Amino acid sequence: MNSPIIAHPDFYASLVFNSSDLISILSPTGVYKYVSNSSTTILGITPEEFIGKSTLSFMHPDDVPIALNAIEQIRSRPTIHLPPFRFRHKNGSWRWVDCVVKDMTADPNVKGIVSNARDITDKVEAEQQLEMREAYYSSLFLNHPDAFFHLNPEGIIEAANQGMEPVLGLPIPQLVGRPYADFLTSQSIKAAKQLFSQALLGYSGTMELEALNFEGRTVYLSITAIPVILNGKVTGIHGIAKDITQIMQAQITIKEQAELLSSVFSSITEGFFVIDKQWRIKYANPFFILFFGLQIKFFKEQELWQVAPELHNSPFFEVCQQAAQTGKTVHFNEYFPERQQHIRFAIYPFSGGLTVYFDDVTLQKKKEQELLDLSLVASRTTNGVVIMNAEGKVEWVNDGFSRLTGYSRQEAIGQVPSKLLQGPGTNPETSARIYQLYASQQPFSQEVLNYKKNGEIIWFHIDVTPVFNEAGQLVKYVAIENDITELKQKETEMLQLTENLLRRNEDLQQFTYIVSHNLRAPVANILGLSYLINSEKNRDSDKFEKALTKIAAAANHLDMVISDLNKILSPLKNAANALQEPVNIHSIVQAVTAGLQEQLEAVHATLENQLPPDLTLTGSIAYFYSIFNNLITNAIKYRNQETDLKITISGQTESQKITILFTDNGMGMDLEQVNNQLFQLYKRFHPGTEGRGIGLYLVKTQAEAMGGRISVQSEPGKGTTFFLTFSL
Amino acid sequence: MLKRIFIVDDDEISVFLTESILERHGYLNCVKSYLDPIKAFAEILQTLQESSDGHYLIFLDLNMPIMSGWDFLDKLSAYEASLKGKCHVVILSSAVDGREIARSSQYPLVLNFVPKPLDPTAFELILETLQNNGALPAGKS
């Protein structure tokens, strides 16, 4: 500084004069005494314009206190560096000025306060702008409701805003200074590293990561990493964290439910699919895939008609449209001739499209049809058809059953057929057998006498088949009832005929035998007697005489037998077509009694005819006459010697039949001894009485020829009753 | 030696004829005739049971009331063991029937089946058979 050039006073004047700083000299009250030339450059005001004016008049009113403060302090302090203040430019704008003042009042060369000011407007404005930016940033970073954090290039958290606290439940001091990886689950660290290294290369990115909160529970965060680039270099990374745990949990729940639904749909044995409003398949279960023979990959999102063209242009399409329009569920069946299948559809419309269930019901339809056919057959057949439950109670009968038995379906249902139809004429053994056969649960056939509702007899041939379910349990019986009444009647008639023929044949054999004995007996006697007569030399002998008498008796006997034969043969001859004339029995008895009046009176006999006077039977007058004649004659013959004979003839009517009782108080018989030979030809049971054993034989033969029957009750010593039964 | 000859027949003439033939052969004193078969059975059985030796001949008719010849034979068969060898039955029937002859051969007590009327030749044949059986001494006829 002490160089020779400084010595000259002009040097300093020139320095001040040309300096870019504004140098001025002020009075102690702030009035300008000198202003350097630079004032024109800096403020557009010439130095002359400053002289004599107060510095305060050029200052910004807000900054005046700074000047007043400096004027006050300058007396006690030699140099003051004022804070920046604003100074008026000639054009009206304000310029920031940095100013240093020094009190040089004591210096004789100056005698005033030197002010050295510099225009710092550009600097101050730049500083102010920087402050504003920082305020923005800090406001954005610290006060933003989202969670923000800052990482340095080493991955250490350098800062975190208030929003970060609730995310993990940790206070910010516990976050700052620690590497980010400390807060993530091990599964997420790898992904996080990728995001971090991308950011270090200058790329932003977002990832969903799993972090652990203060309790050690997993929280799902969406992390966005933004690189902070300064001068083309990444100096740090900003991070934004969003808690998406609830969203994630909702997504997991949705996914789980979707899987559950899918498994439910897959397990549905019916076909199931969902289509949207554009007929695109949104879902279809395996049955659908199988049914339409699809490859799983190719059907989703395809139009239904492409996958299953047969559903197009079919009633199904129309019904779907209808369901979509009305929003109402539709059930319907459709037959697909090419498949030969009946498909049952259930279509449920919903806001997004249609849900369709479908099932192959071909078998079911077939069974329904079969059942329909069967029921048609069963109802139209002339036979009776009865369906019973496992307890044997009627569930259904056809019209044929009602026609045959007279019981309507309503009357039959719930009844046990055996109990409903069997009656007093049903053979109890047959009844028991049917019961056992039902219990045996085996198919069986049986002929049985049943009764119609009106009491008429009907013979059924029944075929019963038990029906079992898949488990082998008895569920039903099916019975077919065939009316065999006519057949049975013919069978009965045939049996009757055979019986009659057999009996007649027996009778004939008996007849032949008896006739041969009885016819030969007198012949043998005659032969013997004639031999005796021929060989007897003495014709006057007693023996000769006896033989002659006896030969006459024997010849008479023979004659009698021959006349008997005539009587006997007559009913046999006419048996096939016995006379069919009405005969009043009461009158016949009266006539017979009259004819035998003499004989009856001779033995003091009484006869009581108690028969109804109008009793009329169909037959032959001669036979009825012969019957009563024989019975009365017999009664006289075999009367009890100790009491007077009493004969009673009465009738008992019972269901289309009359039994005539012929009772006497005669000798009676031991029926055990008589055995069953009483009514046989030439059988005599009373030794010592006259009789040829033809009377009762004739009674029986004649009664039977007219469709009657005869039986007897007797007790030795008390009397005999004959029972003659005829159809009315 | 024939101790007794019984005739069981309800036909009086037939009995008379049979007795006449027996009389000719000198057997009348030992003949006992019955018209009632029930009475006949009772008495004949008693006689047979009381007798310890000798031979008995019965002429039996088949066609009788209440008790036929067959009934008679059936009742007699109950005592067959004690009667065998001493009681000989000859069936005397008015009719000759093959089935009846066959039936009569089932009864061990029946000796012969003879058609009525009994004639001397037939009776001699019966006696011959009895001799062959040892019931009668030979040459007696």
Side-chain angles (χ1 to χ4, degrees):
Chain A
M1 272 255 265
N2 293 325
S3 67
I5 52 166
I6 302 167
H8 197 285
D10 289 345
F11 172 73
Y12 296 104
S14 173
L15 208 63
V16 170
F17 191 79
N18 293 307
S19 168
S20 62
D21 288 358
L22 178 70
I23 297 161
S24 52
I25 296 166
L26 300 156
S27 71
T29 56
V31 173
Y32 281 106
K33 289 164 83 178
Y34 167 82
V35 176
S36 67
N37 274 345
S38 59
S39 73
T40 314
T41 332
I42 296 169
L43 297 169
I45 300 167
T46 56
E48 289 80 25
E49 289 176 279
F50 280 107
I51 303 303
K53 289 179 182 164
S54 172
T55 185
L56 297 176
S57 62
F58 292 95
M59 286 177 77
H60 192 281
D62 289 354
D63 297 340
V64 168
I66 296 172
L68 291 174
N69 195 31
I71 290 166
E72 206 174 303
Q73 287 187 0
I74 199 75
R75 289 177 190 159
S76 52
R77 287 174 63 186
T79 304
I80 295 171
H81 191 169
L82 277 74
F85 59 89
R86 284 157 289 184
F87 216 83
R88 190 193 310 271
H89 191 275
K90 181 88 178 183
N91 62 11
S93 69
W94 299 96
R95 306 295 296 178
W96 284 94
V97 174
D98 183 45
C99 180
V100 178
V101 291
K102 194 174 178 184
D103 183 14
M104 292 181 75
T105 320
D107 189 330
N109 290 324
V110 178
K111 293 175 191 165
I113 296 162
V114 176
S115 155
N116 194 345
R118 187 180 294 165
D119 183 350
I120 57 161
T121 303
D122 288 346
K123 189 184 163 198
V124 166
E125 279 181 353
E127 271 177 7
Q128 276 179 343
Q129 221 167 354
L130 196 66
E131 268 174 27
M132 190 72 88
R133 273 190 178 164
E134 277 192 352
Y136 278 149
Y137 171 75
S138 97
S139 168
L140 191 68
F141 184 87
L142 295 170
N143 302 324
H144 199 282
D146 285 350
F148 280 95
F149 59 90
H150 183 78
L151 300 178
N152 69 11
E154 280 74 46
I156 307 293
I157 298 170
E158 287 198 321
N161 73 351
Q162 289 298 317
M164 273 304 285
E165 275 192 1
V167 173
L168 296 179
L170 293 170
I172 289 158
Q174 286 193 33
L175 300 172
V176 175
R178 290 173 65 185
Y180 68 84
D182 279 6
F183 303 100
L184 297 178
T185 63
S186 48
Q187 295 100 304
S188 279
I189 289 174
K190 197 179 167 190
K193 271 184 180 164
Q194 203 183 346
L195 182 69
F196 181 72
S197 47
Q198 287 289 317
L200 283 183
L201 292 173
Y203 301 108
S204 299
T206 302
M207 264 190 190
E208 286 166 7
L209 298 171
E210 294 171 18
L212 293 165
N213 72 358
F214 73 104
E215 287 173 312
R217 292 222 328 251
T218 302
V219 289
Y220 296 89
L221 301 178
S222 169
I223 302 289
T224 303
I226 305 155
V228 179
I229 302 167
L230 193 63
N231 300 329
K233 198 184 163 197
V234 177
T235 57
I237 294 164
H238 282 317
I240 306 167
K242 269 186 194 165
D243 187 347
I244 54 163
T245 306
Q246 281 185 341
I247 296 167
M248 281 301 281
Q249 273 171 349
Q251 275 176 354
I252 286 167
T253 307
I254 289 166
K255 199 176 160 195
E256 279 173 357
Q257 283 179 345
E259 274 170 10
L260 185 69
L261 270 180
S262 169
S263 94
V264 167
F265 293 151
S266 299
S267 64
I268 291 172
T269 52
E270 294 178 311
F272 170 79
F273 60 92
V274 181
I275 44 177
D276 66 11
K277 293 193 163 171
Q278 281 71 49
W279 307 102
R280 282 188 306 241
I281 298 169
K282 304 308 280 185
Y283 179 84
N285 76 344
F287 187 93
F288 175 90
I289 294 156
L290 212 66
F291 192 81
F292 288 102
L294 303 175
Q295 299 225 312
I296 296 171
K297 287 176 191 169
F298 299 128
F299 72 86
K300 261 201 176 163
E301 292 296 330
Q302 280 196 40
E303 203 179 59
L304 178 65
W305 318 126
Q306 287 179 329
V307 170
E310 59 195 305
L311 293 178
H312 209 12
N313 293 327
S314 78
F316 172 77
F317 178 58
E318 286 163 33
V319 174
C320 279
Q321 282 182 319
Q322 188 192 322
Q325 272 171 18
T326 59
K328 281 179 184 163
T329 303
V330 184
H331 296 266
F332 88 110
N333 286 1
E334 186 177 340
Y335 180 67
F336 291 86
E338 278 175 35
R339 292 176 169 273
Q340 297 192 331
Q341 279 176 325
H342 288 273
I343 310 287
R344 181 182 55 198
F345 291 101
I347 301 165
Y348 299 90
F350 68 101
S351 58
L354 298 171
T355 299
V356 179
Y357 288 87
F358 68 97
D359 201 5
D360 179 2
V361 292
T362 313
L363 273 180
Q364 207 178 318
K365 273 273 167 194
K366 229 181 228 171
K367 276 188 181 165
E368 275 172 23
Q369 190 59 44
E370 265 174 32
L371 215 61
L372 211 66
D373 291 347
L374 275 179
S375 109
L376 196 69
V377 170
S379 64
R380 294 295 161 86
T381 182
T382 53
N383 292 338
V385 179
V386 181
I387 299 175
M388 286 154 275
N389 63 14
E391 283 85 52
K393 285 184 178 163
V394 172
E395 287 184 335
W396 183 83
V397 297
N398 71 342
D399 297 341
F401 177 88
S402 299
R403 192 171 41 71
L404 288 173
T405 64
Y407 290 105
S408 70
R409 192 167 299 147
Q410 280 71 27
E411 288 171 317
I413 284 170
Q415 301 276 351
V416 175
S418 302
K419 285 183 183 160
L420 183 68
L421 299 173
Q422 291 178 8
T426 309
N427 186 343
E429 280 173 32
T430 307
S431 199
R433 193 180 318 129
I434 288 174
Y435 182 81
Q436 281 174 353
L437 286 167
Y438 267 110
S440 75
Q441 303 189 357
Q442 299 283 326
F444 70 91
S445 297
Q446 179 68 43
E447 288 180 359
V448 60
L449 187 151
N450 282 338
Y451 289 86
K452 296 185 185 184
K453 193 184 173 188
N454 64 9
E456 273 177 42
I457 280 173
I458 184 163
W459 273 93
F460 274 147
H461 174 95
I462 57 174
D463 276 303
V464 178
T465 311
V467 180
F468 301 93
N469 66 9
E470 284 160 1
Q473 290 164 321
L474 177 78
V475 286
K476 275 185 201 320
Y477 290 102
V478 177
I480 313 281
E481 311 199 317
N482 203 350
D483 179 7
I484 53 160
T485 310
E486 216 173 299
L487 205 73
K488 266 286 163 187
Q489 272 166 356
K490 283 197 175 137
E491 214 177 273
T492 312
E493 278 168 24
M494 198 70 112
L495 212 70
Q496 189 74 49
L497 201 66
T498 312
E499 229 170 64
N500 283 344
L501 283 172
L502 268 175
R503 205 181 58 235
R504 195 142 294 160
N505 195 37
E506 249 170 46
D507 287 353
L508 279 172
Q509 277 184 2
Q510 181 76 10
F511 176 79
T512 321
Y513 169 78
I514 298 294
V515 162
S516 69
H517 269 275
N518 286 271
L519 203 56
R520 177 104 202 326
V523 172
N525 284 346
I526 292 168
L527 284 173
L529 290 166
S530 54
Y531 169 77
L532 203 65
I533 290 165
N534 281 333
S535 59
E536 186 61 56
K537 309 234 162 45
N538 184 1
R539 301 221 162 195
D540 297 326
S541 75
D542 196 28
K543 194 138 228 166
F544 188 82
E545 198 64 34
K546 244 185 185 170
L548 278 178
T549 323
K550 284 186 191 297
I551 206 165
N556 275 336
H557 189 202
L558 181 62
D559 183 46
M560 211 152 44
V561 170
I562 287 165
S563 97
D564 282 350
L565 274 181
N566 200 34
K567 284 187 203 160
I568 290 157
L569 288 173
S570 116
L572 285 174
K573 199 166 60 190
N574 292 335
N577 47 357
L579 284 168
Q580 299 283 303
E581 52 188 341
V583 182
N584 185 301
I585 307 300
H586 185 90
S587 313
I588 289 286
V589 171
Q590 292 302 103
V592 171
T593 313
L596 293 170
Q597 197 59 40
E598 234 174 89
Q599 292 176 52
L600 285 165
E601 275 173 11
V603 297
H604 305 103
T606 51
L607 188 146
E608 237 179 278
N609 182 359
Q610 294 178 355
L611 291 170
D614 61 343
L615 174 61
T616 304
L617 296 174
T618 305
S620 151
I621 291 172
Y623 285 1
F624 277 117
Y625 191 95
S626 163
I627 285 168
F628 287 105
N629 196 58
N630 268 305
L631 287 174
I632 295 169
T633 313
N634 259 10
I636 294 168
K637 234 182 255 175
Y638 307 114
R639 67 187 183 276
N640 200 328
Q641 298 295 336
E642 282 149 31
T643 50
D644 288 344
L645 175 63
K646 190 170 183 256
I647 301 167
T648 313
I649 305 171
S650 60
Q652 280 179 0
T653 312
E654 189 196 344
S655 66
Q656 308 297 307
K657 279 184 176 169
I658 180 155
T659 299
I660 297 164
L661 287 81
F662 186 100
T663 308
D664 68 34
N665 60 346
M667 291 157 72
M669 298 166 280
D670 184 345
L671 289 176
E672 257 182 60
Q673 243 180 15
V674 167
N675 214 348
N676 53 358
Q677 303 178 350
L678 184 65
F679 299 104
Q680 285 187 10
L681 186 60
Y682 292 118
K683 286 286 173 186
R684 284 163 300 140
F685 298 96
H686 297 280
T689 55
E690 48 184 306
R692 305 187 304 280
I694 181 168
L696 285 177
Y697 172 80
L698 282 174
V699 168
K700 179 176 182 265
T701 315
Q702 289 164 345
E704 285 178 356
M706 294 186 296
R709 285 273 179 281
I710 187 164
S711 62
V712 66
Q713 274 184 4
S714 188
E715 209 176 316
K718 292 219 167 148
T720 305
T721 301
F722 288 98
F723 301 86
L724 282 155
T725 306
F726 292 96
S727 297
L728 279 170
Chain B
M1 181 66 188
L2 274 175
K3 250 189 155 175
R4 184 105 336 150
I5 299 174
F6 298 110
I7 300 171
V8 184
D9 192 342
D10 70 323
D11 187 339
E12 210 188 311
I13 299 174
S14 176
V15 172
F16 168 77
L17 287 170
T18 310
E19 283 174 347
S20 304
I21 300 297
L22 297 178
E23 190 183 2
R24 287 193 180 195
H25 285 77
Y27 280 100
L28 190 61
N29 56 342
C30 69
V31 170
K32 172 91 173 117
S33 298
Y34 296 93
L35 288 170
D36 180 352
I38 293 171
K39 189 182 168 203
F41 180 79
E43 289 188 13
I44 293 169
L45 185 65
Q46 198 184 353
T47 309
L48 287 172
Q49 282 177 331
E50 281 168 3
S51 160
S52 53
D53 61 342
H55 293 271
Y56 298 83
L57 187 62
I58 304 172
F59 284 103
L60 181 65
D61 182 27
L62 288 178
N63 191 23
M64 294 183 290
I66 304 178
M67 187 188 269
S68 71
W70 298 118
D71 296 335
F72 191 100
L73 278 173
D74 286 338
K75 286 185 102 169
L76 204 61
S77 291
Y79 308 94
E80 195 179 286
S82 61
L83 303 179
K84 190 88 182 77
K86 64 177 176 182
C87 174
H88 312 280
V89 179
V90 172
I91 291 173
L92 198 59
S93 172
S94 53
V96 179
D97 185 301
R99 279 170 298 173
E100 285 188 317
I101 296 172
R103 185 177 169 190
S104 71
S105 69
Q106 303 293 311
Y107 296 91
L109 294 178
V110 172
L111 184 74
N112 219 333
F113 191 105
V114 177
K116 285 181 184 179
L118 180 68
D119 60 40
T121 324
F123 183 61
E124 279 158 24
L125 202 68
I126 290 163
L127 292 174
E128 214 173 283
T129 316
L130 284 169
Q131 279 167 3
N132 291 345
N133 284 3
L136 288 178
K140 172 80 179 38
S141 63

